């Protein structure tokens, strides 16, 4: 029988767990917001310089000099806007870029994309810069005042005690009062920094994104290309399976049939020869069965159903020709097609590494966040990987494109080589 004490204890544990989760989520949100504000400060400083440069070009264009530097200013504006779009994509939803704006000055001045970027430039160079400075300064003030009781005795007399430039602490009560101010800074950071980060990002999300008509047409084009890639990948896969069955398994089965017929005719007059033919037929049948098993596994590896993606990738690492470290953090199962594609991508990538890179070590990382599965395959080989070099990268890209995924390859001469894959975890 459950007692009142047990019920109270269970409720106490539940409250404690809920409070812990709230504290962790609040700290995590504040930390992410501070990082976002700091990265926004970087682009805000660049925006301020670009804004000043734009103002100089506008003023000097009255005497003709500004017309010479206007194309350079426009290129800098477009590049900075692209940098901001990439930054916002790391912090939140992707900001789809519009069509490339015209390069001619007269057309650029009436282009909606350029005008939107100019409006964003003004806002980000002012409000965005202020919010970014607050995001950097507030943590410094919080640390400075919170830790004041630890070092106030080391300071010279009549030194300003607080970050606000007020008072001088000459006693423990005064030092503790300063630390309370530091606690106030921490509360402000926890409460306001997420809203500040959203406010800093809002102009970029509104002014740098493509309009709905442009976004829709671009998406239609992307889906058309993806569908074509999916059909090509499907056709290539069917040809591979057909070739494997025709050239391997079918020949083995024909050989078994011929050997069995010959053994049946020889069994009466030459039992020893018939027994030898039966052994050969059995061996051919076993080879045909092994090839059938290989083909079936290439369609959808059963290890994915048995052990999941983490277990399947661990099996690939164990079979790798070089030491391979696996780091998988995929809490939930993805769609079967997505897991199969991830498995084949890693298998093909490790095969390429063993054949072409001369690497001593490889690392495979898999993460599932926000409905996306991200793979990263790294090696310390010689680099110089090329999709046109027959290394299988074209096939990998087709498989990924069939699922509306993305592939990024970085392989400078001398290495290292990094292959990054981003797939939707559709169910």
């Amino acid at each position: 029988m459950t007692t009142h004490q047990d019920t109270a204890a269970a409720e106490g544990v539940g409250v404690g767990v809920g409070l812990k989760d709230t504290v962790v989520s609040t700290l995590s949100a504040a930390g992410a917001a501070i990082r976002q504000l700091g990265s926004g400060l970087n682009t805000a400083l660049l925006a301020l310089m670009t804004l000043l440069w734009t103002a100089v070009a506008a003023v000097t264009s009255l005497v003709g000099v500004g017309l010479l530097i206007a194309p350079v200013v426009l290129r800098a504006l477009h590049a900075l806007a692209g940098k901001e779009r990439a930054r916002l994509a790391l912090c939140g939803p992707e900001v789809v870029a519009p069509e490339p704006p015209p390069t001619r000055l007269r057309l650029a001045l009436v282009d909606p994309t350029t005008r939107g970027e100019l409006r964003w430039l003004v806002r980000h160079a002012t409000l965005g810069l202020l919010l970014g400075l607050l995001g950097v300064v507030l943590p410094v003030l919080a640390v400075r005042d919170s830790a004041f009781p630890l070092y106030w005795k080391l300071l010279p007399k009549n030194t300003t005690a607080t970050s606000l430039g007020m008072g001088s602490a000459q006693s423990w009560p005064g030092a503790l009062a300063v630390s309370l101010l530091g606690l106030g800074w921490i509360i402000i950071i926890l409460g306001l920094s997420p809203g500040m980060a959203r406010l800093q990002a809002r102009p970029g999300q509104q002014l740098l994104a493509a309009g709905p008509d442009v976004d829709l047409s671009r998406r239609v084009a992307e889906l058309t290309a993806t569908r074509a890639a999916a059909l090509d990948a499907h056709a290539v896969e069917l040809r591979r399976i057909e070739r494997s069955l025709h050239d391997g398994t079918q020949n083995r089965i024909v050989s078994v049939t011929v050997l069995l017929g010959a053994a049946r005719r020889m069994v009466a007059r030459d039992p020893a020869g018939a027994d030898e033919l039966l052994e050969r037929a059995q061996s051919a049948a076993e080879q045909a069965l092994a090839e059938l098993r290989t083909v079936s596994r290439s369609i959808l590896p059963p290890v994915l159903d048995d052990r999941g993606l983490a277990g399947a990738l661990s099996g690939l690492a164990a079979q790798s020709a070089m030491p391979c470290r696996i780091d998988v953090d995929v809490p939930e199962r993805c769609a079967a097609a997505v897991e199969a594609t991830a498995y084949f991508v890693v298998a093909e990538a490790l095969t390429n590494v063993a054949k072409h890179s001369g690497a001593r070590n490889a690392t495979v990382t898999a993460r599932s966040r926000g409905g996306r599965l991200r793979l990263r395959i790294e090696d310390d080989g010689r680099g110089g990987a090329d999709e046109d070099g027959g290394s299988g990268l074209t096939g990998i890209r087709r498989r990924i494109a069939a699922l509306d995924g993305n592939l990024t390859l970085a392989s400078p001469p001398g290495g290292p080589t990094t292959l990054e894959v981003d797939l939707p975890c559709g169910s």
Side-chain angles (χ1 to χ4, degrees):
M1 181 179 296
T2 303
T3 64
H4 293 292
Q5 291 84 354
D6 295 336
T7 303
E11 292 178 353
V13 171
V15 171
V17 172
L19 180 60
K20 179 181 178 182
D21 292 341
T22 302
V23 171
V24 171
S25 62
T26 302
L27 292 175
S28 177
I34 291 299
R35 289 193 297 270
Q36 184 175 346
L37 289 168
S39 64
L41 176 61
N42 180 31
T43 55
L45 291 172
L46 295 175
L48 179 60
M49 291 187 290
T50 306
L51 180 61
L52 295 176
W53 198 7
T54 303
V56 171
V59 172
T60 56
S61 63
L62 299 176
V63 294
V65 177
L67 298 177
L68 300 177
I69 62 174
V72 181
V73 174
L74 283 175
R75 286 196 294 270
L77 173 63
H78 299 327
L80 181 58
K83 184 180 179 67
E84 179 69 3
R85 292 187 188 98
R87 184 188 75 86
L88 294 176
L90 294 176
C91 305
E94 180 182 4
V95 179
V96 179
E99 293 295 330
T103 55
R104 295 183 60 182
L105 180 60
R106 182 174 299 178
L107 296 177
L109 292 177
V110 297
D111 177 63
T113 299
T114 304
R115 290 189 172 186
E117 291 178 352
L118 285 172
R119 290 197 298 270
W120 164 81
L121 185 71
V122 174
R123 296 188 188 182
H124 197 56
T126 53
L127 179 61
L129 179 63
L130 175 62
L131 293 172
L133 287 173
L134 288 175
V136 173
V137 171
L138 284 177
V140 176
L141 300 183
V143 172
R144 194 264 187 200
D145 289 342
S146 299
F148 188 75
L150 302 178
Y151 63 85
W152 71 276
K153 285 191 174 183
L154 304 177
L155 298 176
K157 291 184 178 182
N158 299 323
T159 301
T160 301
T162 66
S163 299
L164 297 177
M166 298 184 300
S168 59
Q170 301 295 329
S171 63
W172 277 108
L176 293 176
V178 176
S179 68
L180 291 178
L181 178 61
L183 180 61
W185 294 127
I186 294 175
I187 294 174
I188 291 174
I189 292 172
L190 295 178
L192 299 183
S193 58
M196 292 165 56
R198 290 192 297 269
L199 184 60
Q200 187 192 55
R202 187 174 301 163
Q205 294 169 346
Q206 293 176 346
L207 299 174
L208 299 183
D213 51 343
V214 177
D215 189 13
L216 181 60
S217 62
R218 177 171 297 187
R219 186 59 180 160
V220 169
E222 290 176 353
L223 290 177
T224 302
T226 299
R227 179 178 179 273
L231 293 175
D232 288 343
H234 181 65
V236 170
E237 190 67 14
L238 287 179
R239 287 195 297 269
R240 183 190 65 80
I241 295 173
E242 180 184 11
R243 187 166 56 250
S244 299
L245 293 174
H246 182 273
D247 296 343
T249 307
Q250 179 176 293
N251 289 339
R252 301 289 185 190
I253 295 176
V254 170
S255 176
V256 170
T257 304
V258 172
L259 290 171
L260 288 176
R264 186 167 59 85
R265 291 189 295 270
M266 292 179 59
V267 68
R269 67 176 186 274
D270 187 4
D275 186 64
E276 180 182 353
L277 290 177
L278 288 174
E279 289 183 1
R280 291 172 57 188
Q282 181 180 0
S283 176
E286 291 174 351
Q287 292 177 3
L289 182 61
E291 290 175 355
L292 274 176
R293 188 178 294 112
T294 300
V295 172
S296 65
R297 286 177 175 174
S298 68
I299 298 173
L300 184 62
V303 68
L304 286 172
D305 285 333
D306 299 338
R307 301 171 58 190
L309 185 60
L313 296 184
S314 298
L316 288 177
Q319 299 170 7
S320 176
M322 74 201 71
C324 180
R325 187 175 67 86
I326 297 291
D327 183 9
V328 180
D329 182 12
V330 183
E332 299 179 356
R333 296 295 297 268
C334 299
V338 175
E339 290 189 345
T341 299
Y343 178 86
F344 288 123
V345 166
V346 174
E348 184 69 21
L350 292 179
T351 300
N352 290 342
V353 171
K355 286 183 177 180
H356 307 293
S357 72
R360 295 185 299 273
N361 295 281
T363 302
V364 177
T365 305
R367 295 285 185 271
S368 176
R369 296 289 185 275
R372 310 289 296 185
L373 175 63
R374 292 177 174 83
L375 302 173
R376 183 183 179 93
I377 302 100
E378 302 175 86
D379 68 76
D380 57 358
R382 65 176 66 96
D386 183 9
E387 288 192 43
D388 300 327
S391 59
L393 290 172
T394 302
I396 292 177
R397 186 177 291 278
R398 284 179 177 174
R399 277 186 177 271
I400 295 168
L403 295 178
D404 202 15
N406 300 308
L407 180 146
T408 304
L409 175 67
S411 183
T417 296
T418 302
L419 182 70
E420 294 184 345
V421 175
D422 183 13
L423 294 169
C425 292
S427 58

